[in-house]
C-alpha cells in the first residue's frame, strides 16, 4: 500500500513538473522570479512617480511675523503680519518638465523590455549546455557498455588463443578513461544546474527537465533581419532619451525666464490710544489691513541657465551617438550569430555523414576481427572516432540553439 501511495505521489508531482518542461515555460518562470528583471521594472515604476513630482506647482509659502515693538501707523500700531505667496513658473514650464519625465519613464520601460529579452537569452544559453551534458553522458554510458562487451570478447579470444593480452589491456585502459570521463560529466552537472536555476531564482538543485532531442533547421536568408533596427528596445530607449533631452532643453530655457508670484499680506492693527477723544480718531482706526501682492523673479545670473541648456544639447548628441554605436553593434552581432548558425548547420551535416560512415566501418572491422582475431586496435580506434563525432554533433546542436537564441535576442523576438 505504501509503495502504491508513493507511485501516486510521483505521478502527481510529475504532472506538476510537466508544466515546466519547455524552454518557453522556463522563460515565463524567469520573467516572474528573476530579481534583476524585477529591479528593472521597479526602476520603471519609480520613473513614473517622477512625472507627478515635476508636473505640479511649487508649494505656497506662508510666513508669520510678530512686531516686538509695534510699528505705529496712522490707523494704529501693527501687531502681527501673515503672508501667503504662490509662485508660478513661466508658461509651459510644467508641461515641458512633465513631458521630459514621462519620456524618461518610457525609456525605462524599454530598458526593462531589453533586460527581459536578455534574460531569455541567458536562460537559453544556460539551458542548452544541460542538453549537451545529458547527450555526452548518454554517449559515454553507451561507450562504456560497448567497451565492456569488447573487453569480454578480447578476454575470450585470448583464452582461446585467437587473441593477445595486449588487446585486453588496450580495451581496459580505454574503459578506465571512459569511466573517468563519465564521472567528470556527472560532477559538471551541479554548476550547470546552479547557473540555470539561479536565473529563475530557484533552489540551485531544483529539477530541470531537458528535451531529449533538438531540431536544427535551415533558416531563410535575412531571417528576422527586418526587425533588427526597427523593434529593438535599446534603440527605442535611446530615441526616447533624445526626446526627453529635447524636452529638458525647453525646460532649461523656460527656467531662465521670469517667475511670477501672487500673494496676500494680512496685518493685525491695534487701536490708537493716544487720542484726546473718539471724535479725533481717524477713519479705520484699529482696522486690520489686507494687501494683495504680485512678485516677479529676475533671472539675471544667466550662466546656470545657459549651462543647463548646453547640458541638454550635449546629452542629445550623446544619445544620438550611442544609438548609432548600438545599431552598429546589432548589425555586427547579427552577422556573427548568422555565421554561427550556418557553421553549425554545416558541421551537423558533416557529423551525420561521419557517424554513418564510421558505423559502417566499425561493423566491417568488428566482423573482420571476429573472423581473424586481428586488427582489434583498429576496432577500438574507430569506436573512439565514432564517439568523438557523436559528441561533436551534440555540441553542434547546442551551439546552433545558443546562436539562434542570440539572434532572437538581437532582433527582439517576442515570446
Amino acid at each position: 500500500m505504501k509503495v502504491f501511495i508513493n507511485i501516486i505521489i510521483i505521478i502527481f508531482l510529475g504532472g506538476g513538473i510537466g508544466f515546466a518542461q519547455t524552454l518557453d515555460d522556463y522563460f515565463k518562470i524567469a520573467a516572474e522570479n528573476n530579481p534583476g528583471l524585477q529591479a528593472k521594472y521597479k526602476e520603471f515604476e519609480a520613473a513614473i512617480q517622477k512625472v507627478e513630482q515635476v508636473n505640479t506647482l511649487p508649494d505656497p509659502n506662508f510666513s508669520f511675523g510678530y512686531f516686538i515693538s509695534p510699528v505705529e501707523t496712522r490707523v494704529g500700531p501693527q501687531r502681527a503680519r501673515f503672508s501667503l505667496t504662490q509662485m508660478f513658473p513661466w508658461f509651459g514650464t510644467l508641461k515641458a518638465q512633465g513631458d521630459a519625465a514621462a519620456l524618461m519613464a518610457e525609456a525605462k520601460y524599454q530598458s526593462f523590455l531589453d533586460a527581459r529579452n536578455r534574460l531569455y537569452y541567458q536562460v537559453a544559453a544556460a539551458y542548452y549546455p544541460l542538453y549537451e551534458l545529458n547527450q555526452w553522458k548518454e554517449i559515454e554510458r553507451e561507450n562504456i557498455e560497448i567497451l565492456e562487451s569488447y573487453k569480454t570478447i578480447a578476454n575470450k579470444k585470448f583464452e582461446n588463443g585467437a587473441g593477445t593480452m595486449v588487446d585486453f589491456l588496450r580495451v581496459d585502459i580505454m574503459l578506465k578513461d571512459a569511466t573517468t570521463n563519465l564521472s567528470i560529466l556527472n560532477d559538471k552537472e551541479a554548476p550547470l544546474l546552479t547557473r540555470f536555476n539561479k536565473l529563475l531564482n530557484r533552489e540551485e538543485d531544483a529539477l530541470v527537465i531537458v528535451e531529449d532531442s533538438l531540431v536544427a533547421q535551415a533558416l531563410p536568408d535575412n531571417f528576422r533581419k527586418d526587425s533588427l533596427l526597427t523593434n529593438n528596445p535599446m534603440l527605442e530607449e535611446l530615441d526616447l532619451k533624445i526626446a526627453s533631452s529635447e524636452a529638458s532643453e525647453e525646460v532649461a530655457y523656460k527656467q531662465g525666464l521670469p517667475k511670477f508670484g501672487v500673494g496676500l499680506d494680512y496685518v493685525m492693527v491695534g487701536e490708537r490710544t493716544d487720542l484726546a477723544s473718539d471724535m479725533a480718531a481717524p477713519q479705520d482706526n484699529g482696522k486690520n489691513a489686507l494687501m494683495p501682492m504680485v512678485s516677479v523673479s529676475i533671472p539675471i545670473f544667466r550662466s546656470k541657465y545657459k549651462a543647463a541648456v548646453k547640458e541638454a544639447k550635449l546629452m542629445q548628441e550623446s544619445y544620438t551617438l550611442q544609438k548609432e554605436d548600438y545599431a552598429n553593434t546589432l548589425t555586427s552581432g547579427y552577422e556573427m550569430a548568422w555565421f554561427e548558425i550556418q557553421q553549425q548547420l554545416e558541421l551537423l551535416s558533416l557529423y551525420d555523414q561521419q557517424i554513418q560512415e564510421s558505423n559502417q566501418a566499425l561493423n566491417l572491422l568488428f566482423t573482420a576481427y571476429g573472423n581473424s582475431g586481428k586488427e582489434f586496435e583498429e576496432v577500438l580506434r574507430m569506436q573512439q572516432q565514432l564517439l568523438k563525432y557523436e559528441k561533436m554533433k551534440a555540441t553542434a546542436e547546442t551551439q546552433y540553439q545558443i546562436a539562434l537564441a542570440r539572434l532572437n535576442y538581437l532582433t527582439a523576438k517576442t515570446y
Side-chain angles (χ1 to χ4, degrees):
M1 182 65 179
K2 184 177 180 181
V3 174
F4 178 75
I5 292 174
N6 288 338
I7 292 174
I8 293 177
I9 293 174
I10 291 172
I11 294 174
F12 176 78
L13 291 177
I17 294 170
F19 288 108
Q21 288 183 349
T22 68
L23 185 56
D24 286 349
D25 291 326
Y26 287 127
F27 286 160
K28 182 178 179 181
I29 295 173
E32 292 175 350
N33 298 335
N34 184 270
L37 186 61
Q38 291 176 350
K40 280 288 185 180
Y41 193 76
K42 293 299 180 182
E43 286 184 17
F44 161 64
E45 290 185 315
I48 292 178
Q49 304 305 314
K50 188 72 174 178
V51 178
E52 188 65 26
Q53 297 176 45
V54 300
N55 204 22
T56 308
L57 288 172
D59 293 332
N61 290 325
F62 174 79
S63 61
F64 167 76
Y66 181 78
F67 296 95
I68 298 177
S69 298
V71 178
E72 295 293 341
T73 64
R74 186 182 65 85
V75 294
Q78 295 183 357
R79 303 292 187 187
R81 174 174 293 182
F82 300 88
S83 296
L84 181 64
T85 306
Q86 175 66 63
M87 297 299 296
F88 295 90
W90 189 264
F91 307 103
T93 302
L94 292 180
K95 181 180 183 303
Q97 290 179 167
D99 290 344
L103 289 166
M104 190 57 69
E106 291 183 40
K108 290 290 185 182
Y109 182 72
Q110 294 300 321
S111 177
F112 159 75
L113 292 181
D114 179 72
R116 183 199 61 187
N117 294 343
R118 185 168 61 253
L119 176 63
Y120 288 165
Y121 167 67
Q122 291 171 339
V123 170
Y127 173 85
Y128 290 114
L130 288 169
Y131 166 83
E132 179 187 32
L133 178 67
N134 288 346
Q135 294 299 308
W136 278 40
K137 287 166 63 176
E138 182 62 29
I139 292 169
E140 205 63 71
R141 280 192 289 265
E142 292 177 359
N143 181 47
I144 290 173
E145 292 178 4
I146 291 172
L147 290 175
E148 286 176 343
S149 66
Y150 284 178
K151 183 177 178 180
T152 301
I153 294 172
N155 186 44
K156 288 183 178 179
K157 287 281 187 182
F158 173 71
E159 291 175 350
N160 296 332
T164 65
M165 188 63 180
V166 173
D167 292 340
F168 178 82
L169 294 175
R170 281 197 184 104
V171 71
D172 189 59
I173 291 171
M174 296 179 67
L175 187 57
K176 290 177 180 177
D177 286 343
T179 303
T180 301
N181 290 337
L182 181 59
S183 176
I184 293 172
L185 291 174
N186 287 329
D187 292 339
K188 186 179 179 180
E189 184 174 18
L192 291 181
L193 282 174
T194 298
R195 181 176 69 161
F196 182 82
N197 281 318
K198 287 308 175 183
L199 288 171
L200 276 60
N201 199 28
R202 305 194 306 181
E203 294 295 328
E204 57 191 48
D205 57 348
L207 178 64
V208 178
I209 298 179
V210 183
E211 299 173 62
D212 294 330
S213 61
L214 298 176
V215 177
Q217 58 185 4
L219 302 175
D221 291 340
N222 298 321
F223 177 72
R224 295 185 55 80
K225 195 172 185 178
D226 55 342
S227 62
L228 182 65
L229 302 179
T230 56
N231 299 325
N232 190 277
M234 283 295 291
L235 296 180
E236 292 287 339
E237 177 188 357
L238 290 169
D239 280 336
L240 289 166
K241 285 184 175 181
I242 292 171
S244 178
S245 294
E246 291 173 350
S248 296
E249 180 184 352
E250 183 182 359
V251 170
Y253 171 75
K254 290 182 178 296
Q255 285 180 339
L257 298 175
K259 299 177 179 63
F260 303 96
V262 295
L264 286 174
D265 264 15
Y266 184 77
V267 182
M268 298 181 64
V269 181
E271 293 186 358
R272 292 183 60 178
T273 60
D274 59 340
L275 301 175
S277 65
D278 292 340
M279 297 297 294
Q283 187 178 2
D284 298 331
N285 180 31
K287 185 176 181 181
N288 296 335
L290 182 65
M291 180 175 62
M293 294 189 305
V294 177
S295 61
V296 178
S297 68
I298 305 175
I300 59 176
F301 303 107
R302 306 297 304 167
S303 59
K304 61 180 180 180
Y305 302 114
K306 292 179 180 179
V309 171
K310 184 65 174 177
E311 177 189 4
K313 289 182 177 179
L314 289 172
M315 289 307 302
Q316 293 171 43
E317 295 175 9
S318 173
Y319 292 138
T320 301
L321 292 171
Q322 289 180 46
K323 181 182 177 182
E324 182 179 357
D325 179 65
Y326 192 73
N328 292 337
T329 301
L330 285 176
T331 302
S332 61
Y334 178 92
E335 294 301 330
M336 287 303 299
W338 181 254
F339 164 75
E340 182 72 14
I341 288 172
Q342 301 307 311
Q343 179 188 37
Q344 299 307 323
L345 284 173
E346 292 185 20
L347 289 175
L348 284 170
S349 177
L350 171 65
Y351 297 149
D352 282 335
Q353 296 176 18
Q354 300 289 56
I355 289 171
Q356 181 180 0
E357 293 178 3
S358 295
N359 270 316
Q360 293 174 354
L362 181 61
N363 291 333
L364 292 174
L365 288 169
F366 192 73
T367 300
Y369 171 71
N371 294 331
S372 65
K374 299 179 181 180
E375 302 295 337
F376 187 63
E377 183 178 358
E378 283 300 310
V379 173
L380 294 179
R381 188 187 66 80
M382 188 55 65
Q383 171 62 29
Q384 296 310 300
Q385 189 77 358
L386 176 61
L387 175 70
K388 182 184 75 171
Y389 286 133
E390 288 176 341
K391 286 184 175 180
M392 292 172 70
K393 179 183 177 182
T395 298
E397 290 174 333
T398 298
Q399 294 303 316
Y400 171 89
Q401 296 296 338
I402 292 176
L404 181 58
R406 170 85 178 156
L407 188 143
N408 287 335
Y409 164 63
L410 295 172
T411 56
K413 178 184 176 181
T414 55
Y415 293 89

